[in-house]
Amino acid sequence: MNLIEELRWRGMLQDMMPGTEEQLQKEMTTAYIGFDPTAESLHIGSLVPILLLVHLQKAGHKPLALVGGATGMVGDPSFKAEERKMLDDETLRKNVDGIRKQLERFLDFDPAKPNAAEMVNNYDWFQHISFLDFIRDTGKHITVNYMMAKDSVKKRIEGDNGMSFTEFTYQLIQGYDFFHLYTAKNCKLQMGGSDQWGNIVTGTELIRRKAQGQAFAFTCPLIKKADGTKFGKTEQGTVWLDPKRTSPYAFYQFWLRTTDDDAESYIKIFTFMEKEEVDTLIAEHRQDPGKTLLQKRLAQEVTTFIHGEDAYKFAVEASSILYNKNTADLLLSLSEEDLVEVMAGVPQHEVAKAELEAGKDIVSFLAETGIFPSKGEARKTVQGGGVSVNKVKVPGVEMVINTSSLLRDKYILLQKGKNYFLVKAV
């Protein structure tokens, strides 16, 4: 399959300008996608544009990853209800640097290769263009009627909040990015999410009118869950690519918890598995959905791609803490964030930390936290070897619980038979 055929079966192709597929088959083509530097890290909503660039490079073409140091100062109004808060220069530079480092992990930047990836920042060219120069040399090529006709603009203007002139110019600024890359780097293709179609074709129009050239474009559908809700959001918030913001364990669990319908589409979009293997896996999963074959493979592929093999293995091991023996050392190695994630759904009890400073015998501790209804029952179960603290079996009723028993200076994991309880020191 060529690139377009590959993206089409994966469900990663929505709108495409005529001639785009022919251009990609004719020669090595330079193409770009823009990334909005609203944070120091990208999130899983950015995975699709990242994967588009990876697929492009695998197909022999040259990818450009544009980080919007200039457009980040304006804010993309496309299909948003209100204007975004402006970022200061220092925050913007910090965000751009963070995103640059992330993107360099997924694309091949080896300058010895003809299709080596490149990073570009539109602030590098916009900082030298004055407002008067821009409206004189670029603004005159695109009519207000043309810009007003875009759905993303019409919806905002017709809404309650309207649209500022700053946001209105965004379409022209992004269009100029395409024009600049066309003239400076022979970039003939822009890719992006379907909400970017209006901005992208403004770029192709600017190239046609200002440079008498021809450029191309295609977009990917915006990813949603099967129930229509937004992709990439959890009860805890956004799922980030930065392991400091979203731990590899939490990242792994996000994919593991996808529904069957979502997993069938995600396995095509977010992995590099071949069609035959995907079709076989889907068929096997449908025969016995309880084994969650799709979700496990999806979580493995995406976690390994983003965080590496070691992080994936750790996430799998951490997922087994509550079900496997001999995981005490692994439990001790968990960060507080991972510990809370692993223990999600486990009944929780609280104890005053001051009470633990002097120490408390295990029997009293179990009864006073409410894990056992009485000291007598607690003593009997401990003596029978039925209680564990932090995955280590309690040796006898003489054991003392104190602050040294706390995981991350805050938690104690108790096990009574097959049941777990998380005690939090407050």
Side-chain angles (χ1 to χ4, degrees):
M1 289 187 286
N2 64 38
L3 176 62
I4 296 300
E5 291 171 341
E6 173 92 8
L7 296 177
R8 186 176 283 121
W9 88 261
R10 289 186 182 276
M12 299 176 72
L13 192 66
Q14 181 156 325
D15 298 308
M16 183 169 65
M17 290 192 67
T20 300
E21 186 169 8
E22 292 77 7
Q23 167 63 31
L24 289 166
Q25 290 177 308
K26 182 176 68 174
E27 61 186 4
M28 183 183 79
T29 301
T30 300
Y32 93 96
I33 290 180
F35 294 88
D36 201 5
T38 52
E40 198 174 353
S41 170
L42 297 171
H43 49 76
I44 60 173
S46 307
L47 263 181
V48 171
I50 290 172
L51 290 168
L52 284 175
L53 289 176
V54 175
H55 280 296
L56 180 91
Q57 190 170 40
K58 282 179 175 288
H61 302 289
K62 183 178 177 66
L64 302 179
L66 183 148
V67 182
T71 40
M73 295 180 176
V74 178
D76 184 2
S78 297
F79 301 100
K80 293 184 174 62
E82 58 186 26
E83 188 163 356
R84 192 181 65 195
K85 182 181 178 182
M86 298 298 174
L87 300 175
D88 60 76
D89 289 350
E90 183 179 352
T91 300
L92 199 57
R93 282 195 297 270
K94 188 177 180 181
N95 291 352
V96 168
D97 289 342
I99 292 172
R100 183 191 304 273
K101 291 174 183 176
Q102 286 185 330
L103 291 175
E104 287 174 347
R105 293 172 41 222
F106 307 119
L107 297 164
D108 187 350
F109 286 83
D110 183 357
K113 297 181 179 179
N115 68 329
E118 290 185 36
M119 294 284 300
V120 292
N121 183 345
N122 57 14
Y123 184 75
D124 291 340
W125 52 86
F126 270 112
Q127 65 176 319
H128 303 299
I129 303 174
S130 72
F131 174 73
L132 290 176
D133 288 341
F134 186 73
I135 60 174
R136 180 194 64 194
D137 299 334
T138 300
K140 68 180 181 181
H141 293 283
I142 302 294
T143 67
V144 172
N145 291 17
Y146 178 89
M147 297 172 71
M148 292 278 288
K150 296 292 190 297
D151 288 340
S152 57
V153 174
K154 284 195 294 186
K155 288 184 179 181
R156 279 293 299 278
I157 289 179
E158 294 170 359
D160 296 333
N161 296 318
M163 173 181 277
S164 69
F165 176 75
T166 301
E167 287 187 300
F168 184 64
T169 62
Y170 187 94
Q171 180 185 155
L172 193 58
I173 293 171
Q174 183 172 324
Y176 185 85
D177 283 341
F178 199 175
F179 168 80
H180 173 83
L181 293 176
Y182 176 86
T183 55
K185 294 186 177 291
N186 194 33
C187 179
K188 295 182 179 180
L189 172 65
Q190 184 179 356
M191 306 174 291
S194 58
D195 61 335
Q196 294 296 306
W197 182 252
N199 294 336
I200 292 173
V201 296
T202 296
T204 63
E205 186 68 8
L206 196 57
I207 289 168
R208 185 184 71 83
R209 296 186 183 190
K210 192 172 181 179
Q212 293 75 52
Q214 184 178 21
F216 306 90
F218 70 78
T219 61
C220 178
L222 296 181
I223 308 301
K224 290 185 178 181
K225 295 180 181 179
D227 61 7
T229 58
K230 191 170 183 179
F231 167 77
K233 295 286 186 179
T234 68
E235 292 181 2
Q236 290 74 38
T238 301
V239 180
W240 299 93
L241 304 189
D242 185 343
K244 295 178 181 178
R245 290 178 175 234
T246 299
S247 71
Y249 172 81
F251 186 87
Y252 171 80
Q253 286 292 324
F254 170 82
W255 301 99
L256 199 62
R257 292 169 183 165
T258 55
T259 66
D260 289 342
D261 288 342
D262 286 333
E264 287 197 13
S265 63
Y266 293 173
I267 199 78
K268 300 174 184 177
I269 295 170
F270 295 105
T271 79
F272 297 99
M273 295 171 61
E274 299 292 340
K275 185 177 187 302
E276 183 177 345
E277 187 178 8
V278 168
D279 291 342
T280 299
L281 183 60
I282 290 175
E284 291 177 356
H285 176 83
R286 288 177 178 176
Q287 290 177 359
D288 190 355
K291 290 183 177 180
T292 61
L293 295 176
L294 263 180
Q295 287 88 342
K296 289 176 180 175
R297 184 63 183 277
L298 173 67
Q300 175 186 352
E301 294 286 332
V302 185
T303 304
T304 301
F305 177 66
I306 298 299
H307 295 299
E309 183 73 20
D310 289 343
Y312 160 69
K313 290 179 179 177
F314 174 83
V316 172
E317 291 175 356
S319 301
S320 69
I321 280 178
L322 298 182
Y323 310 105
N324 292 351
K325 297 179 181 179
N326 305 319
T327 53
D329 290 342
L330 181 61
L331 182 65
L332 291 172
S333 72
L334 293 179
S335 66
E336 182 176 346
E337 181 186 8
D338 283 339
L339 187 64
V340 172
E341 284 282 345
V342 170
M343 302 306 158
V346 172
Q348 296 193 15
H349 302 263
E350 291 186 352
V351 63
K353 193 172 184 179
E355 293 182 18
L356 299 181
E357 291 175 354
K360 189 178 288 288
D361 68 272
I362 184 66
V363 172
S364 298
F365 180 78
L366 292 171
E368 291 174 12
T369 52
I371 293 171
F372 283 86
S374 67
K375 288 186 179 181
E377 187 173 335
R379 181 179 293 105
K380 182 179 179 180
T381 306
V382 168
Q383 289 173 334
V387 176
S388 293
V389 174
N390 297 336
K391 298 294 290 184
V392 176
K393 185 174 289 187
V394 175
V397 294
E398 68 280 359
M399 181 178 179
V400 174
I401 299 295
N402 53 38
T403 53
S404 67
S405 307
L406 295 173
L407 299 168
R408 297 302 172 193
D409 199 38
K410 191 180 293 185
Y411 303 98
I412 297 174
L413 179 65
L414 294 169
Q415 183 179 2
K416 178 178 71 172
K418 293 184 178 180
N419 299 314
Y420 285 91
F421 305 87
L422 188 66
V423 177
K424 182 179 180 181
V426 295

